[in-house]
Amino acid sequence: MEDFHNALEAFEADNSPQGRVLRAGLQLIETLGIDRVTVAAILGEAKVVRGTVYAHFGEVFGVFAAAWTKLGAPWLRLMMTASDESMIPPQYRSALVQILLAARRAPVLHEVVRPDVDSVWGELDRSTDTSELRAVWLLITRLSLDLSLPVLPEANALVPLVGVIASIPDDAFERYGLVGQQIPKHEIPAALSPLKSENDDITRRLMVAAVDVVAGSGLAAASMLRVCRTARLTPGAATPRFADLRSLHDYAFANA
């Protein structure tokens, strides 16, 4: 916990043009969503000249990558080990979640995020099956909550679940007689998948793209324009089928 607080304090204290750019980038991710932040918006927020961004960071995702190098690893470690939500400062939390998820589709982010993920995972206490699973569950649950809360405030009711996961004892497998047991896997028949059964190619491409966009950036950051771009379709191709993203989601759920 101390590592992240120290990193955060240093990050906040850096009043150089570059430091102001990094803070502005994270603040704008939190308010606009990672795919809506522009260099112009960062310049306006940070009150610096255009050359500051291009000379030091290259482009907007370069700003996000540089910010991650300052805060990413200690924040990720805290997300996977903190026993209480109050131990994780709220500053830039949404922005770091979005950077982590966007790394799967942005090479400049992947280059800095992936080594940190590998490093933090290698450092974690994985002396028992339970300690390893607990770290994974804590990260997944916290990421899910952070992505859900902007559009579903009721998800806050799941916060106590994080505490339950964090308090699982290291010897839980032995204590509860779970050693050697395997969770049965259930395959979903292909016929039940709306992606498999959809006959219209454009509709199917839109549905696949919608899943990819939400998985990559969260529901709050999704838009019909982004779905169309991901599907490599024009908005004009989508409009006759779906008036907006909600109608696309409704169709997918209705045919699931």
Side-chain angles (χ1 to χ4, degrees):
M1 181 174 68
E2 187 176 349
D3 287 348
F4 181 64
H5 282 274
N6 290 340
L8 184 61
E9 184 176 345
F11 187 79
E12 293 279 7
D14 183 1
N15 202 38
S16 67
Q18 297 97 306
R20 299 204 304 275
V21 164
L22 296 181
R23 286 196 299 276
L26 295 190
Q27 289 162 1
L28 288 167
I29 291 176
E30 295 199 322
T31 56
L32 302 177
I34 194 167
D35 290 301
R36 295 188 179 94
V37 181
T38 63
V39 170
I42 291 176
L43 295 175
E45 182 77 17
K47 304 294 190 294
V48 297
V49 298
R50 181 172 294 272
T52 304
V53 173
Y54 293 115
H56 293 280
F57 309 108
E59 43 86 28
V60 68
F61 271 59
V63 173
F64 306 153
W68 175 274
T69 62
K70 302 282 187 180
L71 300 175
W75 167 81
L76 188 62
R77 190 177 299 109
L78 194 56
M79 289 281 279
M80 299 182 78
T81 59
S83 59
D84 189 285
E85 286 296 280
S86 64
M87 298 173 65
I88 308 175
Q91 296 97 312
Y92 313 121
R93 178 164 168 171
S94 174
L96 291 168
V97 168
Q98 292 185 54
I99 291 174
L100 176 64
L101 295 179
R104 62 188 291 273
R105 56 184 173 81
V108 68
L109 294 181
H110 188 270
E111 289 177 5
V112 297
V113 170
R114 182 55 189 267
D116 279 347
V117 171
D118 291 342
S119 174
V120 170
W121 180 245
E123 297 168 6
L124 287 175
D125 171 24
R126 306 206 314 279
S127 57
T128 69
D129 289 339
T130 304
S131 60
E132 183 172 298
L133 280 174
R134 184 175 57 230
V136 174
W137 288 348
L138 282 172
L139 179 62
I140 291 174
T141 306
R142 283 177 167 139
L143 291 179
S144 300
L145 283 170
D146 287 339
L147 290 170
S148 301
L149 285 172
V151 293
L152 188 65
E154 293 83 356
N156 200 49
L158 296 177
V159 169
L161 178 61
V162 177
V164 172
I165 294 172
S167 64
I168 295 175
D170 285 345
D171 63 346
F173 275 73
E174 293 78 11
R175 182 180 300 190
Y176 302 115
L178 301 175
V179 176
Q181 290 195 17
Q182 292 186 346
I183 299 175
K185 297 180 179 180
H186 299 283
E187 296 292 335
I188 300 177
L192 297 181
S193 170
L195 304 183
K196 297 284 187 180
S197 59
E198 178 57 52
N199 294 319
D200 181 61
D201 180 63
I202 291 179
T203 297
R204 182 170 56 254
R205 288 166 62 184
L206 288 169
M207 293 166 70
V208 171
V211 171
D212 188 58
V213 167
V214 172
S217 300
L219 185 59
S223 69
M224 197 60 176
L225 181 58
R226 281 195 58 206
V227 169
C228 288
R229 287 175 176 170
T230 303
R232 299 187 182 278
L233 294 168
T234 64
T239 301
R241 294 165 173 82
F242 307 104
D244 52 29
L245 187 57
R246 180 181 292 275
S247 61
L248 172 57
H249 288 162
D250 289 346
Y251 177 84
F253 281 115
N255 289 274

